[in-house]
Amino acid sequence: MSNKKRFALIGASGYIAPRHMKAITETGNELVAALDPYDGIGIMDSHFPQASFFTEFERFDRFIDKYHRENEKKIDYIGITTPNYLHDAHIRFTLKSGCDAICEKPLVLNPHNIDQLKIIEEETGKRVNNILQLRLHPSIIALREKVQKELEQNPNKIYDIDLTYLTSRGKWYFVSWKGDESKSGGIASNIGVHFYDMLSWIFGEVKENIVHLKQPDANAGLLRLKNANVRWFLSVNYDYIPEEVKAQGQTTFRSITVEGEEIEFSGGFKDLHTRSYEEILAGNGFGLEEAYGSIDIVSQIRKMTPIGLKDDYHPFCKKIM
């Protein structure tokens, strides 16, 4: 008897959607149906050419409902790779359709959305799984184990950390939903939420959240965690990438230093969605509780007024101010 699980996917044309299709393939499961208003999705031929495809939500909704009524096997999971502001509605639809959800980051834009989703989980008996793949990265796991051992010896130790993440985006970015803070949540939500989750997972809950800089293409601030002070700088502006990195033809710069020591975790990202699916299928996915801390951080950042170059700010702020 086959243990193959059945999946549907909302947001099949998105940047990250192929990693979900690959993960479904590599875990030996089946994509039954996909939805996206954009219909140029040839990538599906590489994975699931027989999957039903819809460009209208109403037809997709009807298919899911009819499939469950007419088939002995139901759709087990719906993956959600849509624009950030749609995640909440698509998770609700998934749970109420009798499926577990697998949703990209950020899970939702505000903590109160998580509170409501908890109620729907209880009502439906279905579960929300959040893709928090950095928690599965071997280098990050090794760092967490190292820190835990050190904190056993010195529980009050405060680590000094610099987080720098620059990933260049063209003019299209600011015209798309990603450039609309009401839809994306802004840069902190779009490209920073995984790092906030990872750092608070390792170094503890937030004690203080300070924003030094907040512009459409760059954010910077200071997170005082239980066991770390984190100076962070995020940007989608190519101009802020260090010259030595540009000289190598690279358009992305990612750096985390702990006590002045660089943490290398550049490799292995493309396989982490499959690892995430393996853990979810084994019942070990990251749920609503795990998502809460990072969503609270980015929600606060969105509402805060930057204080400028005061206190302990990230040195990259001087590139702008």
Side-chain angles (χ1 to χ4, degrees):
M1 188 173 184
S2 174
N3 291 322
K4 182 180 286 190
K5 299 293 184 182
R6 288 165 171 79
F7 287 77
L9 182 65
I10 305 177
S13 74
Y15 165 77
I16 209 69
R19 294 190 191 178
H20 286 255
M21 295 182 199
K22 181 172 178 278
I24 295 168
T25 300
E26 292 183 343
T27 54
N29 296 298
E30 177 187 2
L31 183 70
V32 174
L35 166 69
D36 200 289
Y38 176 68
D39 60 7
I41 314 181
I43 186 66
M44 289 186 65
D45 287 343
S46 300
H47 295 283
F48 301 101
Q50 301 306 316
S52 297
F53 178 72
F54 303 89
T55 59
E56 297 173 343
F57 178 80
E58 291 79 7
R59 292 176 183 268
F60 177 77
D61 177 14
R62 184 170 60 199
F63 174 88
I64 298 293
D65 182 66
K66 188 177 179 181
Y67 187 92
H68 283 176
R69 294 178 189 280
E70 296 182 353
N71 290 274
E72 291 182 11
K73 296 277 189 176
K74 295 193 174 185
I75 293 170
D76 301 286
Y77 297 90
I78 296 181
I80 298 163
T81 59
T82 50
N84 301 348
Y85 72 106
L86 298 176
H87 289 177
D88 181 54
H90 289 154
I91 293 170
R92 289 166 181 261
F93 164 78
T94 297
L95 300 178
K96 292 177 180 179
S97 296
C99 309
D100 288 339
I102 302 176
C103 187
E104 269 299 331
K105 63 82 184 172
L107 186 70
V108 289
L109 294 181
N110 297 291
H112 64 78
N113 299 130
I114 294 179
D115 296 333
Q116 293 301 308
L117 290 176
K118 287 179 181 177
I119 296 172
I120 301 174
E121 272 192 336
E122 292 173 2
E123 290 175 345
T124 61
K126 295 301 174 180
R127 176 176 168 82
V128 180
N129 299 281
N130 193 193
I131 298 290
L132 299 174
Q133 71 264 42
L134 283 183
R135 295 193 185 199
L136 300 175
H137 195 293
S139 296
I140 302 304
I141 293 172
L143 173 62
R144 186 171 190 256
E145 291 173 351
K146 176 177 178 288
V147 168
Q148 286 178 333
K149 288 180 181 178
E150 292 174 352
L151 290 177
E152 288 176 3
Q153 302 300 317
N154 183 7
N156 297 319
K157 180 176 173 62
I158 302 296
Y159 294 80
D160 289 319
I161 299 173
D162 277 359
L163 162 65
T164 313
Y165 183 45
L166 301 94
T167 178
S168 303
R169 297 290 184 265
K171 292 182 179 179
W172 67 268
Y173 182 94
F174 299 99
V175 178
S176 76
W177 64 267
K178 292 176 183 286
D180 183 341
E181 188 177 271
S182 67
K183 294 182 177 180
S184 70
I187 285 181
S189 295
N190 243 355
I191 68 173
V193 68
H194 270 333
F195 297 103
Y196 302 135
D197 171 74
M198 177 265 286
L199 290 168
S200 56
W201 180 57
I202 296 173
F203 296 100
E205 69 275 13
V206 177
K207 299 298 184 182
E208 187 176 15
N209 189 348
I210 298 168
V211 175
H212 294 116
L213 170 73
K214 191 157 57 173
Q215 296 186 357
D217 64 353
N219 283 189
L222 174 69
L223 280 175
R224 298 191 192 278
L225 305 176
K226 179 182 178 183
N227 291 108
N229 292 327
V230 182
R231 300 189 302 185
W232 57 270
F233 184 94
L234 308 170
S235 180
V236 294
N237 191 328
Y238 176 77
D239 292 341
Y240 304 143
I241 291 179
E243 293 301 324
E244 63 272 20
V245 177
K246 292 180 184 177
Q248 297 173 11
Q250 297 180 21
T251 59
T252 297
F253 177 68
R254 182 191 293 116
S255 172
I256 294 180
T257 61
V258 179
E259 302 285 88
E261 179 182 347
E262 185 77 30
I263 304 300
E264 176 53 49
F265 64 106
S266 298
F269 273 86
K270 290 185 178 180
D271 299 324
L272 291 178
H273 276 76
T274 297
R275 282 283 299 114
S276 297
Y277 269 63
E278 289 170 349
E279 291 297 321
I280 290 167
L281 289 163
N284 301 320
F286 301 118
L288 296 176
E289 285 297 331
E290 286 91 345
Y292 197 94
S294 59
I295 297 303
D296 190 42
I297 290 171
V298 295
S299 177
Q300 288 181 29
I301 290 171
R302 199 177 310 129
K303 298 169 186 174
M304 295 173 73
T305 301
I307 66 172
L309 300 191
K310 300 177 183 177
D311 203 348
D312 190 12
Y313 58 85
H314 193 290
F316 273 46
C317 290
K318 289 185 176 180
K319 290 176 176 281
I320 301 174
M321 302 176 75

